[in-house]
Amino acid sequence: MKKWILIAITVMILSGCGETDFTPRAIEAETDICAVCNMSITHEEYAAQLIEEDGDHLVFDDLGCLIEHINEMDQAELGAAFIKDAQTNEWLNIERAAYVYAPGEWTPMSYHVLAFENTDAAQQWLDGGQQGELLALDDLYGFDWGNHH
Amino acid sequence: MKRIVLLWMLFLLWPGIGYAESLQQTIDALPDGSELVLEPVVYHEEVSITKPLRIIGSPGTIFRVDGESPAISIENTQDVQMRNVDIEQGDTAVLIKSSENITIEEIEVSEAEQAVEVHDSKTLTFRELLVEGPAGHYSAKGNGVALYNSEDIQVSDSAIRHMRDGIYAEKTTNLQTSGNRIENSRYGVHLMYSRQADLSGNVLSENVAGVMLMMTEDSRIQENTIHEHTSPNASGLVLYEAQNIQVTGNVINANALGLSLQKVKNSQIENNKFYGNQIGMEFIRSAENNTRGNEFTGNIVQLRSDALGGMLAGNYYDDASLLDLDEDGYGDTPYTALQSYGQWMVREPAYQYFIEAPAVVLLNEMDRQMNSMESAVLMDSKPLAKPPSEATGNPPMSLWRLFLGAMLLAFGGWIWKKESVA
């Protein structure tokens, strides 16, 4: 009997040590600041977010700040990263998003890169008369970011 | 009877009678360079100015405009002056685009989402603006004066409260701000990708940051009073990815963090007073800047840095235990900022809440005792013996001290001899 009680307690304890939740959290415009540039996140539609392996959330005011942070961090600590969709304001996993470098588009840190759900959506936005260059995630890691040289 | 009917018909058909001319129509009818004096009335229409004009309001001249259109638009023109009007409500009070030599002065803006917005313009003067933002959090508001891609701008003697940023400048060259008072906003002055800015004699208080200077170069921040920035994440000044910045002669007090340098190069931090801040100054990847002649008094933590440290020389620290036996004005031993806890606070700002905990006090004392043995990253090799504000031109009193010491010695000897005889 004691053995079964011990097993039950162990199962209960281990069940509390579940997998890390990599769901993006909501931006708190009144208190959130960018983990790279320290600017407060008042334009939520350009926000980005990184969740570390241990579940800690870091938020960023611009996609460029997120990429700068990823470039400098220990890659083993990267759990997941998200960026706001330029059209729907929904969180997109950066691995699955498509990007457009649009120098004419304002972003909080003037990186001028917008994220879209997929390449079709990005291309559709460009076909609508917007000036820009289609990019993939890998392009961003070594990208020459607009004014931010 | 016929005469009366004729008179009545003439009245109906007479041009100019039967409707009031709008202000826009009046403006459109004026020749270039005219002066228009506005009546002390409330205008419920937005106006567009596209020619050289001088518009002067009277006490009681008010623009009250709803909707998203700016109350006053000045576009594709030059030599426009506007003075002495009040603007209430609306999205943007004054919008200036592609214009040159514009002067806006004695304008009071209240409840507008944004007071002044400028794009692609040159040689602008804003003087004596009084801007009071709408209620609510700054994230839902616009800026006091927002400048984009513009040059040669002066903003002076203005009071701006409760906006997102008091003055926001993006890709702007030669911005001069002086004599302004900016309070209760996100950032007092926010510069991005700008050059040759000069911030002098402003009073910035109770914002999230008094000055937020980002990716900006060749600029000066001098003789400003920057105080009481104490909200979460607040700082007096934040310099981020900047170079060739002179921060001189400012009074920086009662802030959560006085001055933060982040990725800053080739800049001078000189002759500032840091007092009563939770943390006086921090260096993050900003080791190559000159920090001299500053006065650090009454701060809970004087300095903190990352592992790269900062370049310090000739500053005054009120927590330094110094002797100046050679009376050259500098301490005979180096000053090292207490580091261990300061370092941790860089990584985790919430640790500041434990700053007077017994364990932290003990750690600080251990740091103090071991300073001479460690290779400190925040060491001032020539700390000032006196604060610069107390420095006088009097010659040293060495002879007097020598005489006094000799007299005391003689008196002591006399006492000793007298006691021995007794």
Side-chain angles (χ1 to χ4, degrees), chain B residues 34-49:
Chain B
S34 300
E35 179 174 300
L36 173 64
V37 178
L38 300 176
E39 296 294 317
V41 297
V42 178
Y43 293 95
H44 290 277
E45 61 171 301
E46 60 266 23
V47 296
S48 174
I49 300 166

Side-chain angles (χ1 to χ4, degrees), chain A residues 42-61:
Chain A
T42 50
H43 294 278
E44 189 185 328
E45 64 273 27
Y46 300 99
Q49 184 167 171
L50 183 144
I51 306 170
E52 294 179 331
E53 268 297 321
D54 60 5
D56 284 353
H57 288 65
L58 298 175
V59 290
F60 306 86
D61 62 341

Side-chain angles (χ1 to χ4, degrees), chain A residues 5-18:
Chain A
I5 292 173
L6 195 64
I7 290 171
I9 290 172
T10 305
V11 168
M12 286 172 67
I13 291 172
L14 289 178
S15 65
C17 307

Side-chain angles (χ1 to χ4, degrees), chain B residues 47-252:
Chain B
V47 296
S48 174
I49 300 166
T50 56
K51 67 175 82 168
L53 275 183
R54 189 158 183 253
I55 298 178
I56 301 172
S58 305
T61 301
I62 298 172
F63 285 84
R64 191 172 291 153
V65 180
D66 291 327
E68 296 186 356
S69 297
I72 313 288
S73 297
I74 301 171
E75 294 187 53
N76 301 311
T77 186
Q78 59 187 4
D79 301 324
V80 173
Q81 294 181 48
M82 174 169 269
R83 179 156 61 90
N84 195 25
V85 301
D86 292 359
I87 303 172
E88 298 177 352
Q89 302 176 344
D91 186 65
T92 298
V94 179
L95 175 66
I96 301 172
K97 282 186 175 176
S98 306
S99 296
E100 190 170 337
N101 196 23
I102 311 295
T103 299
I104 306 289
E105 56 189 347
E106 297 176 38
I107 303 287
E108 187 171 334
V109 179
S110 55
E111 300 299 319
E113 289 299 317
Q114 182 148 270
V116 177
E117 184 174 325
V118 177
H119 296 267
D120 308 306
S121 296
K122 184 179 179 183
T123 317
L124 310 179
T125 301
F126 300 98
R127 190 183 303 122
E128 295 184 51
L129 307 183
L130 182 57
V131 178
E132 178 73 36
H137 191 259
Y138 58 70
S139 58
K141 304 177 191 177
N143 303 304
V145 177
L147 309 164
Y148 301 88
N149 301 305
S150 296
E151 58 185 294
D152 302 333
I153 318 274
Q154 288 187 31
V155 183
S156 63
D157 305 313
S158 297
I160 302 174
R161 302 176 70 227
H162 295 119
M163 300 301 292
R164 175 177 290 170
D165 299 339
I167 299 171
Y168 175 77
E170 185 175 314
K171 298 173 199 163
T172 291
T173 303
N174 193 21
L175 164 66
Q176 297 183 33
T177 75
S178 61
N180 302 292
R181 176 179 285 273
I182 304 175
E183 303 169 325
N184 301 110
S185 300
R186 181 180 69 160
Y187 305 141
V189 180
H190 186 186
L191 305 176
M192 292 186 71
Y193 301 101
S194 293
R195 297 176 60 245
Q196 298 168 359
D198 187 334
L199 283 56
S200 303
N202 303 285
V203 177
L204 311 171
S205 66
E206 298 180 71
N207 308 288
V208 174
V211 176
M212 189 74 165
L213 185 148
M214 314 178 84
M215 289 76 68
T216 289
E217 56 189 39
D218 304 328
S219 296
R220 295 188 302 177
I221 302 171
Q222 56 186 356
E223 296 175 7
N224 302 282
T225 300
I226 301 166
H227 65 112
E228 295 181 53
H229 298 94
T230 55
S231 61
N233 307 315
S235 303
L237 303 94
V238 178
L239 276 54
Y240 177 82
E241 280 198 24
Q243 57 182 337
N244 298 326
I245 310 295
Q246 293 178 32
V247 182
T248 57
N250 299 284
V251 174
I252 301 166

Side-chain angles (χ1 to χ4, degrees), chain A:
Chain A
M1 181 61 185
K2 281 182 181 175
K3 192 169 85 176
W4 288 109
I5 292 173
L6 195 64
I7 290 171
I9 290 172
T10 305
V11 168
M12 286 172 67
I13 291 172
L14 289 178
S15 65
C17 307
E19 290 185 359
T20 307
D21 181 10
F22 291 122
T23 307
R25 69 166 173 83
I27 294 292
E28 299 289 343
E30 300 195 1
T31 53
D32 278 339
I33 61 169
C34 175
V36 167
C37 74
N38 283 337
M39 229 165 78
S40 54
I41 301 176
T42 50
H43 294 278
E44 189 185 328
E45 64 273 27
Y46 300 99
Q49 184 167 171
L50 183 144
I51 306 170
E52 294 179 331
E53 268 297 321
D54 60 5
D56 284 353
H57 288 65
L58 298 175
V59 290
F60 306 86
D61 62 341
D62 193 305
L63 175 61
C65 288
L66 169 67
I67 298 298
E68 182 176 335
H69 184 83
I70 291 174
N71 277 336
E72 295 183 359
M73 73 183 292
D74 180 354
Q75 299 302 306
E77 294 179 2
L78 174 57
F82 300 88
I83 179 67
K84 280 292 182 82
D85 188 317
Q87 293 178 310
T88 66
N89 205 29
E90 296 294 322
W91 288 113
L92 302 172
N93 190 310
I94 63 166
E95 301 280 350
R96 293 191 282 276
Y99 303 91
V100 171
Y101 171 53
E105 289 294 311
W106 184 89
T107 68
M109 291 293 286
S110 297
Y111 284 106
H112 306 300
V113 176
L114 304 177
F116 296 87
E117 185 178 10
N118 51 42
T119 308
D120 289 345
Q123 190 59 54
Q124 196 175 6
W125 186 80
L126 286 169
D127 292 343
Q130 307 292 342
Q131 298 292 314
E133 175 190 354
L134 200 59
L135 299 172
L137 178 60
D138 286 343
D139 298 328
L140 298 181
Y141 292 123
F143 188 59
D144 189 5
W145 290 86
N147 297 292
H148 202 100
H149 298 295

Side-chain angles (χ1 to χ4, degrees), chain B residues 400-421:
Chain B
W400 286 105
R401 288 179 191 171
L402 186 65
F403 176 74
L404 186 65
M407 290 296 291
L408 285 171
L409 189 64
F411 181 70
W414 179 73
I415 294 285
W416 177 73
K417 189 175 179 183
K418 192 176 175 182
E419 292 291 322
S420 299
V421 171

